[in-house]
């Protein structure tokens, strides 16, 4: 027996052309001008967020501060980041004892580690940098994130802009005059949006701003 249309429209992956699904609130982005453009008024609370960048490390910091802080009993996993995380800056955002960083993995190992971590239910955030991602690979990551109620932040090169992946949110981050420009390319329950200028905030990629002595923080790695 077929389900009524109303019950089908409660699913996250189905919606009417005139409908934005806002039954649940997303994760605050820290940028009010961006949140009203997102279907859930914030980042997805589960699933894959793809971010297209021109060069690795050229603007990821814009998204990290609002997404990387996991719950108290959860882990944050970084898989093959393009630069060594700067521990003193990261310590301002999260407990470093809950941060795991994997390096020197081949592509197959990176995808396997990400999928296992997302589905485990113990790793609430996974950050992953890749040169390419197929439709089947993105679907597996999306399903794993939904199963584990976690979020994967996957950074990809701009050359993949024309590819279509079944993920919760797809963004393009580029350098613009006076800062960075963030464009919503695809989102579940909403429409593509015009570029939205945002201000780049300090992050854990470089030295702490201001003067004074730095504190050396040793992470679990």
């Amino acid at each position: 027996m077929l389900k009524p249309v109303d019950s089908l429209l409660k699913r996250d992956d189905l919606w009417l052309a005139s409908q934005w699904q806002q039954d649940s609130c997303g994760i605050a982005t820290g940028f009010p001008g961006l949140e009203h453009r997102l279907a859930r008024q914030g980042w997805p609370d589960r699933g894959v967020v793809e971010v297209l960048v021109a060069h690795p490390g050229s603007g990821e910091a814009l998204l990290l501060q609002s997404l990387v802080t996991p719950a108290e009993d959860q882990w944050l996993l970084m898989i093959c980041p393009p630069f060594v995380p700067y521990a003193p800056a990261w310590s301002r955002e999260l407990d470093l004892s809950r941060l795991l960083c994997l390096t020197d993995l081949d592509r197959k190992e990176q995808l396997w580690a990400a999928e296992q971590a997302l589905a485990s239910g113990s790793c609430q955030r996974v950050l992953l940098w890749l040169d390419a991602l197929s439709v089947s690979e993105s679907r597996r990551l999306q399903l794993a994130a939904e199963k584990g109620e976690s979020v994967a932040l996957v950074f990809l090169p701009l050359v993949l802009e024309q590819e279509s992946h079944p993920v919760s949110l797809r963004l393009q981050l580029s350098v613009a005059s006076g800062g960075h420009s963030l464009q919503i390319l695809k989102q579940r329950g909403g429409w593509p949006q015009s570029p939205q200028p945002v201000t780049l905030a300090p992050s854990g990629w470089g030295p702490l701003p201001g003067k004074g002595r730095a504190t050396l923080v040793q992470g679990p790695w």
Side-chain angles (χ1 to χ4, degrees), residues 159-170:
V159 294
L160 303 181
E161 180 182 356
Q162 300 303 319
E163 296 189 10
S164 180
H165 296 158
V167 297
S168 298
L169 181 62
R170 202 157 196 256

Side-chain angles (χ1 to χ4, degrees), residues 12-13 15 19-22 34-44 48-49 165-171 183-194:
D12 286 342
D13 54 351
W15 63 90
Q19 177 188 36
W20 276 31
Q21 291 194 353
Q22 298 177 348
L34 173 64
E35 290 179 354
H36 80 276
R37 296 170 177 260
L38 293 168
R40 297 194 180 278
Q41 306 297 295
W43 305 125
V48 175
V49 177
H165 296 158
V167 297
S168 298
L169 181 62
R170 202 157 196 256
L171 307 168
Q183 182 177 4
I184 300 173
L185 300 177
K186 176 183 178 182
Q187 61 176 325
R188 288 190 174 187
W191 298 98
Q193 302 284 332
S194 58

Side-chain angles (χ1 to χ4, degrees), residues 168-182:
S168 298
L169 181 62
R170 202 157 196 256
L171 307 168
Q172 179 177 321
L173 185 62
S174 56
V175 179
S177 58
H180 285 72
S181 178
L182 186 65

Side-chain angles (χ1 to χ4, degrees), residues 79-80 104-116 128 130 132 137 140-141:
I79 301 177
C80 297
D104 299 324
L105 302 180
D106 61 32
R107 188 175 184 282
K108 184 177 181 180
E109 292 171 333
Q110 292 176 43
L111 290 168
W112 181 87
E115 184 177 1
Q116 297 302 311
L128 178 63
L130 294 171
E137 291 167 345
R140 290 187 63 163
L141 292 178

